[in-house]
Amino acid sequence: MSMAGQPGRPGDDGDGDASVVVDTKPKTKRPPLYKVLLLNDDYTPMEFVVHVLERFFGMTHAQAFEIMLTVHKKGVAVVGVFSHEIAETKVGQVMDFARRHQHPLQCTMEKE
């Protein structure tokens, strides 16, 4: 890329650029992942939480039931780990769905 700036020595600069690219490749990091969390409250029915987990996180009934119990007992549970965009979408879907059904269920995300 810098070869265009120095047309007199394309061979030297080309080799230098290639080694720089090779050197930076191992340093490339994957995009950060985000945990999606469900928070306990005293009003949202357990069945509704199970339904949310099945619908938005693709869990089986048994998996969803176990996570719901974790939320109920510990106050919070990680329900999935996703890229920023997917985590944000899932949080929005859960919050909208809960609001439409008049439940105070809270769903948040945090960097892993």
Side-chain angles (χ1 to χ4, degrees):
M1 306 217 191
S2 64
M3 293 190 319
Q6 299 175 357
R9 301 179 306 182
D12 293 341
D13 290 327
D15 291 340
D17 286 346
S19 67
V20 170
V21 170
V22 170
D23 290 343
T24 58
K25 275 194 189 266
K27 296 176 192 169
T28 302
K29 292 183 181 175
R30 305 188 100 202
L33 294 176
Y34 291 79
K35 296 185 282 192
V36 174
L37 309 163
L38 274 187
L39 308 178
N40 190 41
D41 64 72
D42 294 332
Y43 304 101
T44 304
M46 292 180 177
E47 299 80 25
F48 184 80
V49 175
V50 169
H51 179 68
V52 163
L53 293 168
E54 292 170 342
R55 179 173 177 159
F56 297 107
F57 298 94
M59 294 183 186
T60 65
H61 186 76
Q63 290 169 325
F65 191 82
E66 285 299 314
I67 296 287
M68 175 277 297
L69 285 179
T70 301
V71 173
H72 181 69
K73 291 176 185 173
K74 297 189 176 179
V76 65
V78 175
V79 296
V81 179
F82 308 96
S83 69
H84 185 271
E85 293 77 15
I86 293 174
E88 201 170 49
T89 299
K90 297 242 182 230
V91 168
Q93 289 172 328
V94 170
M95 294 297 290
D96 288 344
F97 191 70
R99 241 179 271 123
R100 276 182 296 172
H101 289 84
Q102 299 180 339
H103 294 302
L105 182 65
Q106 293 294 302
C107 185
T108 62
M109 61 188 265
E110 66 181 38
K111 202 169 184 176
E112 192 172 45

